[in-house]
Amino acid sequence: MSLKPFITGHEELIHDIKYDFYGKHIATVSSDQHIKVFDLDSATSSWILNDLWKAHDSLIGKVSWAHPEFSSSKILASCSYDRTVKIWQEQPDEMPGSGRRWTKLATLAQESYGPIYDVCFAPNHLGFKLGCVGSDGIFRIYESVEPNDLTNWVLTTEIAILTLLLPAKSLQSSFGIEWCPSKFTKTEKFIVVALDQGFVYGSVPKQTDDDETSGEKYMKICNLPEHNGLIRSVSWAPSMGRNYHLIATGCKDGFVRIFKASEQPNGDLRIETLAKLNDHKLEVWRVSWNMTGTILSA
């Protein structure tokens, strides 16, 4: 099936576009403060508007789909320069294009004192939770604690990523997150990008079954080295049976870097730089692996 290009109708710059789990729906977000969702018409291979709505009071930077196992209706999360993360659920009984088809379940990250740059649901094997990071340099994890009440989310983790002074508001910034997609790692892992640095964090296993310390605890296990500019994008490849991980970054210095991460017996990672590619000759804004982790697009 050959898909056709289409016009989204956003009035300003589009900042993010994401497919859902099955690849049959697309969500786009823009500086016009609106989210738009499109459904694939298989008969015509075209994208049909599902709905659009004003979701935030400022630029919307990122959008993320929840895994379908957590709800019979589709769920989205969006983050904005208005310092919030919002969670949305589709109402299939409402008419497409009515502006009422998606309702807000919750508003998160109100503890933040700066724009939120990225939001991402965790892989489904980690439970129904999401991470977000903003210009305050704090990575936050929120979890849905009641499966039957998706409006109830709890802040379970806060990690201060930047220990030095935060960048001035007048300067360009870049923050991002990426969860490890593999369910076979020894510990839960994720990457947090802050300016020109990339940090890999891992969960600290409980010492005993009776260890009921408050919330999950994480520690920094390694860095992604050699970046000479803002890291604009990071992508963790699906492992597909490999005994190591592949991680790619796109950087303002014009390079795409590919790292090999080998898991150690204690759950830490040993990082090696496999490739440093400058085919673009200009700033690299996005990198993404395919479903098997064998093809990287940038």
Side-chain angles (χ1 to χ4, degrees):
M1 180 173 61
S2 177
L3 298 181
K4 302 175 183 178
F6 68 101
I7 297 174
T8 65
H10 280 291
E11 296 178 358
E12 295 189 39
L13 185 68
I14 296 173
H15 294 283
D16 197 19
I17 178 170
K18 291 285 175 58
Y19 285 94
D20 77 328
F21 180 79
Y22 297 108
K24 295 184 177 180
H25 308 277
I26 283 178
T28 61
V29 295
S30 166
S31 290
D32 65 11
Q33 306 174 12
H34 283 69
I35 298 176
K36 293 192 176 188
V37 176
F38 299 87
D39 301 334
L40 177 62
D41 184 341
S42 301
T44 61
S45 299
S46 58
W47 294 98
I48 308 300
L49 181 66
N50 171 298
D51 208 358
L52 74 158
W53 67 100
K54 185 179 184 297
H56 290 270
D57 295 324
S58 187
L59 176 159
I60 307 174
K62 291 290 178 66
V63 64
S64 179
W65 292 90
H67 193 279
E69 80 168 55
F70 297 111
S71 173
S72 58
S73 299
K74 292 184 282 293
I75 292 178
L76 286 171
S78 58
C79 67
S80 169
Y81 277 36
D82 67 6
R83 305 182 181 186
T84 64
V85 168
K86 294 183 180 180
I87 300 175
W88 309 89
Q89 184 175 41
E90 186 180 25
Q91 307 300 316
D93 294 335
E94 294 288 348
M95 289 291 293
S98 64
R100 301 185 302 272
R101 195 171 171 88
W102 290 79
T103 59
K104 185 176 68 175
L105 292 177
T107 300
L108 311 178
Q110 297 182 77
E111 304 87 355
S112 173
Y113 48 90
I116 307 297
Y117 279 80
D118 201 2
V119 62
C120 188
F121 282 104
N124 61 307
H125 63 271
L126 297 178
F128 198 19
K129 60 184 178 181
L130 60 77
C132 65
V133 64
S135 64
D136 59 4
I138 297 176
F139 174 71
R140 296 177 173 90
I141 296 177
Y142 296 86
E143 297 192 38
S144 173
V145 294
E146 295 289 341
N148 297 324
D149 181 9
L150 298 182
T151 65
N152 188 5
W153 292 75
V154 175
L155 175 63
T156 58
T157 299
E158 284 188 309
I159 302 174
I161 304 301
L162 295 178
T163 55
L164 301 177
L165 292 176
L166 296 175
K169 292 183 179 180
S170 59
L171 299 178
Q172 284 192 15
S173 297
S174 185
F175 296 85
I177 53 180
E178 178 80 344
W179 298 88
C180 173
S182 174
K183 64 174 65 175
F184 301 110
T185 56
K186 294 181 174 63
T187 60
E188 176 184 339
K189 294 179 175 64
F190 53 82
I191 300 168
V192 183
V193 166
L195 306 179
D196 59 350
Q197 302 176 79
F199 307 106
V200 183
Y201 285 81
S203 60
V204 179
K206 292 182 178 181
Q207 299 301 315
T208 67
D209 292 338
D210 297 328
D211 186 357
E212 296 295 338
T213 54
S214 57
E216 284 188 282
K217 296 186 180 298
Y218 301 89
M219 62 180 296
K220 185 169 66 175
I221 56 179
C222 62
N223 297 347
L224 301 179
E226 302 178 6
H227 295 92
N228 300 311
L230 297 176
I231 302 174
R232 293 299 192 186
S233 180
V234 59
S235 183
W236 198 315
S239 61
M240 296 303 291
R242 286 189 293 260
N243 61 357
Y244 58 89
H245 303 275
L246 292 176
I247 299 169
T249 60
C251 186
K252 187 178 180 180
D253 64 10
F255 284 90
V256 173
R257 292 172 174 84
I258 301 176
F259 301 95
K260 176 182 178 181
S262 303
E263 194 157 13
Q264 305 302 296
N266 63 353
D268 289 354
L269 294 178
R270 186 179 74 250
I271 299 292
E272 305 172 54
T273 303
L274 290 185
K276 185 178 176 182
L277 312 170
N278 67 340
D279 301 72
H280 291 283
K281 311 297 182 184
L282 290 170
E283 185 169 355
V284 182
W285 282 91
R286 189 66 60 92
V287 291
S288 181
W289 294 96
N290 67 344
M291 292 295 292
T292 58
T294 55
I295 298 175
L296 176 68
S297 59

